[in-house]
Amino acid sequence: MMDGPRIGAIPSAPMHCGNAHHERELIAPEENTHQTWPKALITHRHPIQQAVAEAVTAGQTAFMPDVLAAFSASYDDSIRQGLAENPRRVPAGDKKRGRVKQPKTRHL
């Protein structure tokens, strides 16, 4: 039996250590490419962090499915927008070997 996180489980405090790093990673493409999806992800993260803090204070260990679905839907919209603005590069007709280098924003 696997002991992994439950779906909708509220992350523990050590899992939040990368939040500042993630925001820095999103600020750079916003400033360099002037795309809007990084800002949407940043602003989306703050209500989730607040909801996690409130839930932990209330003694909850997981979000209700409807709350989790609402967070997931808006997050997924931002991800879809980012993928649309950064399409996968395809190899040129004469290139036969190796991967095509993708833009950094594609990997976020």
Side-chain angles (χ1 to χ4, degrees):
M1 184 165 107
M2 278 182 55
D3 290 333
R6 295 187 329 264
I7 294 178
I10 296 174
S12 61
M15 293 180 69
H16 291 293
C17 63
N19 285 338
H21 170 71
H22 290 186
E23 285 195 20
R24 284 192 302 273
E25 289 289 324
L26 291 167
I27 289 170
E30 177 191 12
E31 291 174 350
N32 296 333
T33 65
H34 305 290
Q35 295 179 3
T36 59
W37 65 271
K39 182 69 172 175
L41 278 178
I42 291 170
T43 57
H44 178 73
R45 289 170 51 90
H46 294 287
I48 293 175
Q49 289 172 323
Q50 183 176 358
V52 167
E54 290 171 2
V56 168
T57 301
Q60 295 176 317
T61 58
F63 287 122
M64 296 300 292
D66 58 331
V67 173
L68 185 62
F71 285 147
S72 294
S74 61
Y75 183 83
D76 290 348
D77 288 343
S78 297
I79 295 295
R80 275 192 286 277
Q81 181 183 359
L83 291 173
E85 291 182 19
N86 298 283
R88 182 176 302 278
R89 292 181 182 161
V90 294
D94 58 340
K95 185 173 180 176
K96 300 194 189 258
R97 296 180 55 177
R99 293 183 185 182
V100 176
K101 184 173 172 96
Q102 299 296 320
K104 289 181 181 180
T105 52
R106 177 77 187 177
H107 296 290
L108 290 177

